[in-house]
Amino acid sequence: MADKPEVYGGGFFSEPLHVGRPTVADRERFLERVNSILDSGWFTNDGPMVREFEEKVADHLGVRNCVATCNGTVALELAYRAVGLSGEVIVPSFTFVATVHALHWQGITPVFCDIDPTTHNIDPVEVERLITEKTTGIVGVHLWGRPCAIDSLQEIASHHGLQLVFDAAHAFGCSWNGTRIGNLGSCEVFSFHATKFLHSFEGGAITTNDDQLAEKLRLMRNFGFAGYDTVIHPGVNGKMVEICAAMGLTNLECIEQLVSANREYYLAYRERIAEIPGIELVTFDESHKPNFQYVVVEIDRETFGLSRDDLVDLLHANNVLARRYFFPGVHRMSPFLAPSGHPPSHLPATDEIADRVLSLPVGNAIRQDDIFRVCDLIYSAHAG
Ligand code: T4K
């Protein structure tokens, strides 16, 4: 057993520590932008702030097109429909439910695929096994910002003539072998929800190097309008509003500071977690330029001495609002169960990881000292 670390403070926190505390990178700059929106009288419908946000996001990612939306879920729905997904689509179950809802919502059957337990991302070997004549596409999720097995997925998709879409909700600013996430597959989808690394209160985007696809997405996002009264495509209201773009732009200007702040939290957790038996930090390969948005640990019940769920109860009792992202696997959620009431797929790696993971508090409301105290609490839970 490791030596007990030096204790920095008591366990109980008077203010709750959250997993997804939003950042406002520069309040003054944001308020200037809000004033200019109010003065302009132009609040939504492809306004100048949204256009600037789209341009700056595209520049940052080195991608030809960025189509901003009202949230990440609608962006997924638009992306799936625009690339022509139908029938069956292979998707991981170990993700936020929106990845799968956006398929189900459009009458597409999600075929749940197991993950590689070492990366937490969709396992290409399993993908290949699940392809049928009804399969039209594969959805990969870069979970925690760690890129999927891109080469293998691209090879499978092109070999079988399938669309490949990535849910990149966690991966803004991250890279894969020198290419920014946002350039891969037919298109990639981001979330700019308040809890995300880059946020715009609510928001999302689809990025793609396919100009025709981008044009179609722009039409679909705005009721299919191609002019004042000409509708040439089925569509929805998926537009981002100006005030959201103002927040997104302001945060984008400070993105490097946001990464380094996140990296500091991650390193502080890494130092302390390493001292506690039975708990392992999900680590990042820095060559992929992680954004360190999520600090995730895996609990080995035998060695740690408590189950993940018991640890969650203990942390919550002390005002540390750690989250069981993502539990249960989506294949175990009621909308996706088979008519028999059982999960439609056997996914041992997903079940195992979903039972072990825990997301710890991060974000600029947290000080390094808080992180040490959270780790002390976890240590004392282990030590009994
Ligand atoms: N794909 C993936 C892989 C995703 O993770 C997500 C979203 C999507 C697609 C869909 O994108 P969006 O349509 O959401 O743009 C939260 C977020 O609502 C959701 O955006 C996110 N993933 C998911 C992982 O987390 P909840 O239900 O856990 O949120 P909630 O309200 O419990 O808040 C989480 C934590 O953040 C709490 O500790 C409280 C704190 N918080 C939250 C908000 C909203 C704050 O401190 N301030 C706030 O304003 O889903």
Side-chain angles (χ1 to χ4, degrees):
M1 188 195 281
D3 291 337
K4 190 169 181 359
E6 188 187 341
V7 172
Y8 277 71
F12 186 81
F13 289 84
S14 53
E15 294 294 324
L17 293 189
H18 290 283
V19 166
R21 211 76 190 147
T23 306
V24 185
D26 181 342
R27 190 180 291 221
E28 287 310 312
R29 187 74 187 102
F30 170 66
L31 292 174
E32 269 171 36
R33 287 192 159 109
V34 172
N35 278 325
S36 89
I37 294 169
L38 296 177
D39 291 342
S40 77
W42 195 272
F43 296 167
T44 183
N45 287 12
D46 206 19
M49 213 63 91
V50 168
R51 285 184 178 216
E52 188 185 346
F53 181 61
E54 291 183 329
E55 262 169 43
K56 294 218 164 127
V57 166
D59 273 1
H60 187 81
L61 303 181
V63 66
R64 288 179 62 84
N65 304 282
C66 167
V67 181
T69 59
C70 52
N71 60 53
T73 305
V74 166
L76 283 169
E77 288 173 7
L78 290 169
Y80 293 164
R81 193 178 273 254
V83 303
L85 297 187
S86 63
E88 294 179 358
V89 168
I90 299 169
V91 63
S93 163
F94 190 58
T95 180
F96 187 60
V97 67
T99 318
V100 185
H101 269 326
L103 292 170
H104 187 242
W105 198 249
Q106 305 188 61
I108 299 166
T109 305
V111 174
F112 292 106
C113 186
D114 217 347
I115 50 166
D116 173 342
T118 58
T119 64
H120 296 186
N121 283 332
I122 196 165
D123 181 348
V125 176
E126 289 298 304
V127 170
E128 189 108 49
R129 214 175 52 74
L130 294 170
I131 294 171
T132 71
E133 71 282 358
K134 293 188 192 150
T135 310
T136 58
I138 305 165
V139 175
V141 181
H142 306 299
L143 213 77
W144 321 133
R146 300 196 293 190
C148 289
I150 308 289
D151 282 334
S152 311
L153 292 173
Q154 269 169 350
E155 202 180 306
I156 295 169
S158 57
H159 180 71
H160 293 272
L162 303 175
Q163 292 289 336
L164 180 60
V165 173
F166 289 105
D167 178 338
H170 297 181
F172 191 85
C174 307
S175 297
W176 171 73
N177 290 349
T179 301
R180 285 264 199 212
I181 300 291
N183 286 270
L184 305 167
S186 306
C187 60
E188 302 209 63
V189 175
F190 293 97
S191 164
F192 302 130
H193 182 261
T195 56
K196 290 290 183 278
F197 167 62
L198 175 69
H199 84 86
S200 60
F201 296 118
E202 286 270 7
I206 306 134
T207 59
T208 179
N209 285 308
D210 177 339
D211 295 347
Q212 275 185 337
L213 180 62
E215 198 43 47
K216 191 169 167 186
L217 285 161
R218 289 185 198 286
L219 283 170
M220 291 168 73
R221 171 187 68 172
N222 185 30
F223 313 101
F225 273 117
Y228 273 125
D229 43 21
T230 316
V231 171
I232 60 166
H233 204 284
V236 290
N237 182 354
K239 291 168 277 128
M240 177 180 269
V241 295
E242 291 289 273
I243 198 158
C244 290
M247 179 58 94
L249 277 168
T250 308
N251 287 331
L252 187 59
E253 280 164 6
C254 301
I255 203 108
E256 297 310 327
Q257 287 147 256
L258 298 178
V259 183
S260 28
N262 281 357
R263 186 167 180 275
E264 291 300 309
Y265 305 132
Y266 164 79
L267 293 178
Y269 272 117
R270 191 175 74 176
E271 181 193 323
R272 286 313 184 92
I273 294 288
E275 296 170 344
I276 312 174
I279 176 165
E280 208 172 302
L281 188 72
V282 165
T283 53
F284 295 99
D285 175 347
E286 297 220 18
S287 72
H288 292 318
K289 301 224 174 310
N291 59 30
F292 303 99
Q293 181 192 328
Y294 290 98
V295 170
V296 181
V297 290
E298 283 184 41
I299 313 293
D300 172 13
R301 184 192 184 131
E302 293 305 307
T303 318
F304 184 69
L306 273 186
S307 70
R308 186 274 315 271
D309 290 348
D310 289 339
L311 177 60
V312 169
D313 289 346
L314 184 142
L315 291 172
H316 282 208
N318 283 276
N319 239 348
V320 178
L321 304 184
R323 294 296 292 266
R324 298 188 298 179
Y325 289 145
F326 289 102
F327 173 85
V330 180
H331 70 300
R332 293 190 173 275
M333 294 181 175
S334 68
F336 304 103
L337 296 178
S340 62
H342 292 105
S345 329
H346 176 59
L347 306 175
T350 298
D351 285 337
E352 191 197 326
I353 297 297
D355 276 347
R356 291 162 63 107
V357 284
L358 187 59
S359 283
L360 294 172
V362 282
N364 70 351
I366 292 181
R367 293 164 302 133
Q368 194 179 56
D369 181 49
D370 295 329
I371 291 175
F372 290 157
R373 287 173 62 202
V374 169
C375 293
D376 288 346
L377 244 178
I378 297 175
Y379 187 92
S380 47
H382 151 73

